[in-house]
Amino acid sequence: MKEKKDESPFKVTEEGKKVFYELYLLNELARKNIEGPYGFGVAPAMVEEYVRNLSNEEFNAFVMLPIGNMTRRHYSMMRKRKIEEKEKENVLLVYLKNEEKWKQKDFIKFLKSEDFNIKLTGPINAPECSWVFVFLDKKEYIIGRPGVDFAGKRRIKHALQIDEFYMIYDIYKKEKTLDDKKIKNLVKKYDGRDIFDFS
């Protein structure tokens, strides 16, 4: 009776080989330019950017190659950072306390008109809380709760006023990112200030 051989978990495909080859070239560039005119880190950042921008199909084809567990883990961590960075980039904190009541109501109406859904955060909600977390990618908003930061990884750490939110949201809709020069210029005035300090 013939012994059945275990099937290899690895799968070599043209797509996987293509990704491997591109990464090889980028890593070679990193090795050659490690002390180049731009200093350390520029080429490795290119490697990470490449991995982070692969489609799921391309990345899965790559990790199915027999590349070794350490290499697989290394590139998987790069992908994980992409997800975390996306969360960080796409959350805005809007402060309502200093705004007129009609403006606050119009702001919530605007979110609903843009298909944002409220996310309830039981067991204890704080509907009287004067700040709102707006998750741009998820199309959700959460009424804040004192002592709880629902989005600690947001890129823009300072709270925004309603008019600033509208300006930033317009830019975000075009650019699909908060990492934009115009947005940075809008919030630069808050550098070094406490989160709700608008003076």
Side-chain angles (χ1 to χ4, degrees), residues 13 31 44 69-70 82 108 136 153 156 162:
T13 60
R31 198 171 54 78
N69 287 336
M70 289 297 287
K82 177 186 179 181
I108 298 299
L136 301 175
K153 292 178 180 176
I156 300 170
I162 291 173

mmCIF file of all heavy atoms in Angstrom, residues 13 31 44 69-70 82 108 136 153 156 162:
data_model
loop_
_atom_site.group_PDB
_atom_site.id
_atom_site.type_symbol
_atom_site.label_atom_id
_atom_site.label_comp_id
_atom_site.label_asym_id
_atom_site.label_seq_id
_atom_site.Cartn_x
_atom_site.Cartn_y
_atom_site.Cartn_z
ATOM 1 N N THR A 13 2.756 30.871 -7.379
ATOM 2 C CA THR A 13 1.977 31.391 -8.511
ATOM 3 C C THR A 13 2.753 32.524 -9.174
ATOM 4 O O THR A 13 3.679 33.089 -8.573
ATOM 5 C CB THR A 13 0.614 31.947 -8.037
ATOM 6 O OG1 THR A 13 0.869 33.015 -7.111
ATOM 7 C CG2 THR A 13 -0.226 30.874 -7.366
ATOM 8 N N ARG A 31 19.443 48.215 0.553
ATOM 9 C CA ARG A 31 20.798 47.815 0.955
ATOM 10 C C ARG A 31 21.851 48.725 0.341
ATOM 11 O O ARG A 31 22.790 49.148 0.998
ATOM 12 C CB ARG A 31 21.035 46.362 0.520
ATOM 13 C CG ARG A 31 22.188 45.677 1.215
ATOM 14 C CD ARG A 31 22.217 44.201 0.899
ATOM 15 N NE ARG A 31 22.233 43.890 -0.517
ATOM 16 C CZ ARG A 31 23.318 43.972 -1.282
ATOM 17 N NH1 ARG A 31 24.467 44.346 -0.779
ATOM 18 N NH2 ARG A 31 23.250 43.687 -2.564
ATOM 19 N N PRO A 44 13.863 51.584 2.980
ATOM 20 C CA PRO A 44 12.981 50.679 3.725
ATOM 21 C C PRO A 44 11.543 51.191 3.790
ATOM 22 O O PRO A 44 10.601 50.412 3.755
ATOM 23 C CB PRO A 44 13.616 50.640 5.117
ATOM 24 C CG PRO A 44 15.057 50.910 4.872
ATOM 25 C CD PRO A 44 15.078 51.879 3.718
ATOM 26 N N ASN A 69 8.808 31.516 7.845
ATOM 27 C CA ASN A 69 7.848 32.104 8.790
ATOM 28 C C ASN A 69 8.254 33.495 9.277
ATOM 29 O O ASN A 69 7.404 34.354 9.482
ATOM 30 C CB ASN A 69 7.641 31.180 9.990
ATOM 31 C CG ASN A 69 6.829 29.959 9.605
ATOM 32 O OD1 ASN A 69 6.068 29.998 8.637
ATOM 33 N ND2 ASN A 69 6.983 28.871 10.331
ATOM 34 N N MET A 70 9.562 33.724 9.472
ATOM 35 C CA MET A 70 10.007 35.040 9.945
ATOM 36 C C MET A 70 9.716 36.120 8.893
ATOM 37 O O MET A 70 9.232 37.200 9.214
ATOM 38 C CB MET A 70 11.509 35.030 10.269
ATOM 39 C CG MET A 70 11.860 34.244 11.521
ATOM 40 S SD MET A 70 11.131 34.935 13.016
ATOM 41 C CE MET A 70 12.137 36.375 13.245
ATOM 42 N N LYS A 82 -0.852 49.066 8.237
ATOM 43 C CA LYS A 82 -1.683 49.792 7.274
ATOM 44 C C LYS A 82 -3.096 49.959 7.828
ATOM 45 O O LYS A 82 -3.682 51.032 7.756
ATOM 46 C CB LYS A 82 -1.735 49.038 5.943
ATOM 47 C CG LYS A 82 -2.647 49.705 4.928
ATOM 48 C CD LYS A 82 -2.810 48.895 3.680
ATOM 49 C CE LYS A 82 -3.748 49.605 2.716
ATOM 50 N NZ LYS A 82 -3.963 48.863 1.485
ATOM 51 N N ILE A 108 -25.529 67.442 13.199
ATOM 52 C CA ILE A 108 -26.013 66.055 13.281
ATOM 53 C C ILE A 108 -26.865 65.722 12.052
ATOM 54 O O ILE A 108 -26.743 64.631 11.476
ATOM 55 C CB ILE A 108 -26.810 65.822 14.587
ATOM 56 C CG1 ILE A 108 -25.909 66.038 15.824
ATOM 57 C CG2 ILE A 108 -27.423 64.427 14.611
ATOM 58 C CD1 ILE A 108 -24.705 65.124 15.940
ATOM 59 N N LEU A 136 -14.717 58.540 9.607
ATOM 60 C CA LEU A 136 -15.004 58.845 8.209
ATOM 61 C C LEU A 136 -15.123 57.593 7.341
ATOM 62 O O LEU A 136 -16.012 57.507 6.503
ATOM 63 C CB LEU A 136 -13.943 59.792 7.649
ATOM 64 C CG LEU A 136 -13.824 61.135 8.386
ATOM 65 C CD1 LEU A 136 -12.668 61.947 7.830
ATOM 66 C CD2 LEU A 136 -15.111 61.932 8.309
ATOM 67 N N LYS A 153 -6.077 56.840 18.341
ATOM 68 C CA LYS A 153 -5.054 56.808 17.294
ATOM 69 C C LYS A 153 -5.284 57.838 16.203
ATOM 70 O O LYS A 153 -4.638 57.796 15.171
ATOM 71 C CB LYS A 153 -5.008 55.418 16.661
ATOM 72 C CG LYS A 153 -4.501 54.341 17.594
ATOM 73 C CD LYS A 153 -4.521 53.002 16.908
ATOM 74 C CE LYS A 153 -4.002 51.926 17.857
ATOM 75 N NZ LYS A 153 -4.089 50.592 17.263
ATOM 76 N N ILE A 156 -5.329 63.770 13.799
ATOM 77 C CA ILE A 156 -5.540 65.119 14.317
ATOM 78 C C ILE A 156 -5.978 64.977 15.770
ATOM 79 O O ILE A 156 -7.112 64.602 16.060
ATOM 80 C CB ILE A 156 -6.600 65.872 13.484
ATOM 81 C CG1 ILE A 156 -6.141 65.974 12.021
ATOM 82 C CG2 ILE A 156 -6.870 67.257 14.064
ATOM 83 C CD1 ILE A 156 -7.200 66.468 11.055
ATOM 84 N N ILE A 162 -17.243 73.026 14.437
ATOM 85 C CA ILE A 162 -18.096 72.515 13.359
ATOM 86 C C ILE A 162 -17.668 73.034 11.988
ATOM 87 O O ILE A 162 -17.559 72.262 11.027
ATOM 88 C CB ILE A 162 -19.583 72.831 13.646
ATOM 89 C CG1 ILE A 162 -20.058 71.998 14.839
ATOM 90 C CG2 ILE A 162 -20.453 72.550 12.424
ATOM 91 C CD1 ILE A 162 -21.461 72.329 15.335
#
